[in-house]
């Protein structure tokens, strides 16, 4: 009889019942975005999850990121790592958001560890090179694709760029699950020339990185400007929740809900029931 190879003898596959998975999921915590965006995703972003906010320049992605950072650092008193790939991080804004939310600004600032990665190599190794004692509850990558776009120029580099980006997101997702960290990435959009003019905006304005990155992301939220200084956050792609949108505004508190009346005027579609459906 042929001898079994060693790895065939020792390989034990890690099956779990769906019931066990459900029990495990009941212990998962969420972090609130401090905005009505929470209502789209079951109350907040789950630990171990990678969420993407995408939208055009000035739509409010960084403001969402800074509000989240302030809430986690100042209210939950947990560490945050903020990779500032677009070099737009201003601590003064954190102080403003913290003060207006009744949080201790100094404590908030001390809990946020900011890194400006000079190249994609530094960015992709971020989780391996965290300073001693830094175990973040929240990792933000503001401008996920910015450095990739700087380093990979021209159509001929597209495949290589996508590969590098995809590998990074996969590793990030695995790390998030293992360490129970919430990962939030923000991303720019480009106009899809092949899209029909009748398609919804979130399909005409594709997030950089395209389809190949989508399956690494648990929730994808499109952010855009609306009337009267209001903005809309729309959940467009989720493994658990239906598409739906909520308005928000940018204020001295960071991002927050808009009064109900304005909300009704700006709504373009039915609201979600708040319950997930299969996907
Ligand atoms: P992006 O999607 O490009 O990251 P931002 O998140 O930086 O966009 O959002 C920029 C918007 O936030 C600007 O329209 C600006 O007016 C608004 N904004 C920035 N700081 C404040 C503030 N302190 N109070 C109110 N609005 C602000
Ligand atoms: Mg920004």
């Amino acid at each position: 009889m042929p001898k079994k190879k060693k790895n065939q003898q020792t390989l034990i596959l890690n099956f779990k019942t769906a019931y066990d998975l459900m029990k495990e999921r009941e212990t998962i915590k969420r972090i609130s975005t401090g905005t009505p965006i929470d209502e789209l995703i079951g109350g907040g972003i789950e630990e171990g999850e990678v969420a993407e906010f995408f939208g055009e320049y000035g739509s409010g992605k960084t403001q969402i990121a800074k509000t989240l950072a302030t809430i986690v650092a100042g209210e939950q008193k947990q560490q945050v790592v903020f990779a500032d790939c677009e070099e737009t991080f201003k601590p003064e804004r954190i102080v403003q958001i913290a003060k207006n939310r009744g949080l201790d600004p100094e404590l908030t600032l001390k809990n946020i560890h900011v890194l400006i990665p000079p190249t994609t190599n530094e960015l992709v190794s971020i989780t391996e090179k965290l300073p001693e004692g830094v175990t973040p509850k929240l990792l933000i990558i503001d401008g996920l694709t910015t450095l990739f776009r700087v380093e990979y120029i021209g159509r001929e580099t597209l495949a290589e760029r996508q590969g590098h980006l995809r590998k990074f997101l996969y590793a990030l997702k695995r790390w998030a699950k293992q360490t129970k960290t919430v990962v939030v990435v923000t991303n720019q959009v480009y106009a899809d020339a092949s899209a029909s003019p009748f398609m919804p905006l979130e399909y005409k304005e594709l997030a950089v990185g395209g389809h190949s990155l989508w399956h690494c992301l648990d929730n994808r939220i499109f952010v855009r400007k609306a009337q009267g200084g209001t903005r809309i956050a729309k959940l467009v792609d989720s493994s658990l929740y239906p598409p739906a949108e909520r308005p928000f505004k940018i204020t001295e508190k960071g991002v927050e809900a808009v009064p109900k009346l304005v909300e009704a005027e700006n709504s373009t579609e039915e609201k979600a029931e708040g319950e997930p459906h299969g996907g």
Side-chain angles (χ1 to χ4, degrees):
M1 214 168 83
K3 263 188 163 178
K4 269 189 180 175
K5 279 189 189 148
K6 199 167 178 227
N7 61 355
Q8 277 177 322
Q9 287 168 342
T10 53
L11 187 67
I12 301 167
L13 293 174
N14 195 14
F15 278 96
K16 287 180 182 176
T17 65
Y19 181 83
D20 290 339
L21 287 174
M22 190 69 212
K23 285 279 153 211
E24 273 175 28
R25 284 191 54 72
E26 279 165 14
T27 65
I28 286 176
K29 296 189 188 72
R30 292 167 186 273
I31 59 164
S32 167
T33 63
T35 73
I37 293 168
D38 286 355
E39 295 165 23
L40 304 174
I41 49 174
I45 308 174
E46 282 183 17
E47 54 186 25
E49 176 175 298
V50 184
E52 179 195 39
F53 289 91
F54 68 104
E56 67 176 24
Y57 176 77
S59 55
K61 305 178 295 293
T62 300
Q63 296 301 322
I64 292 171
K66 283 177 179 159
T67 307
L68 262 172
T70 307
I71 291 171
V72 173
E75 200 172 285
Q76 302 179 5
K77 303 183 173 51
Q78 308 249 29
Q79 289 172 327
V80 176
V81 168
F82 197 112
D84 177 23
C85 305
E86 295 183 343
E87 301 190 38
T88 60
F89 185 90
K90 302 280 186 311
E92 294 90 330
R93 179 64 170 140
I94 300 291
V95 169
Q96 185 189 39
I97 299 170
K99 279 186 179 164
N100 282 286
R101 286 178 176 263
L103 306 172
D104 176 354
E106 194 179 321
L107 172 89
T108 309
L109 291 175
K110 284 181 175 166
N111 271 339
I112 304 177
H113 302 264
V114 184
L115 171 79
I116 298 178
T119 65
T120 55
N121 281 339
E122 273 79 10
L123 176 62
V124 300
S125 58
I126 188 166
T127 59
E128 295 147 34
K129 295 193 179 148
L130 292 174
E132 188 127 340
V134 175
T135 49
K137 188 74 225 164
L138 170 67
L139 168 67
I140 292 169
I141 301 179
D142 192 27
L144 170 71
T145 54
T146 307
L147 290 167
F148 289 87
R149 297 224 290 180
V150 171
E151 285 176 28
Y152 294 89
I153 299 165
R155 287 197 78 76
E156 66 283 3
T157 66
L158 198 63
E160 197 188 336
R161 182 184 87 181
Q162 297 301 80
H164 197 184
L165 199 48
R166 194 163 48 232
K167 207 168 148 203
F168 174 44
L169 263 193
Y170 262 121
L172 204 53
K173 192 172 164 139
R174 263 198 306 273
W175 175 83
K177 281 262 175 311
Q178 275 163 9
T179 57
K180 295 191 173 169
T181 310
V182 172
V183 176
V184 168
V185 302
T186 73
N187 201 353
Q188 298 168 6
V189 289
Y190 68 96
D192 179 5
S194 66
S196 146
F198 305 108
M199 279 171 100
L201 200 57
E202 64 273 20
Y203 297 110
K204 284 191 288 196
E205 291 186 353
L206 292 179
V208 176
H211 305 249
S212 62
L213 304 183
W214 292 1
H215 50 269
C216 302
L217 299 158
D218 297 287
N219 285 308
R220 304 187 59 242
I221 297 160
F222 179 62
V223 189
R224 67 176 166 87
K225 288 183 184 168
Q227 292 164 339
T230 306
R231 289 148 206 270
I232 307 280
K234 181 170 186 177
L235 180 68
V236 291
D237 204 4
S238 165
S239 54
L240 194 57
Y241 301 105
E245 62 182 38
R246 288 288 184 276
F248 69 92
K249 58 181 180 167
I250 303 175
T251 69
E252 66 284 352
K253 285 186 172 174
V255 289
E256 60 175 327
V258 294
K260 283 284 173 213
L261 188 65
V262 184
E263 182 173 337
E265 279 170 10
N266 277 295
S267 175
T268 56
E269 69 166 34
E270 276 181 40
K271 299 284 180 283
E273 295 301 319
E275 280 296 313
H277 71 167

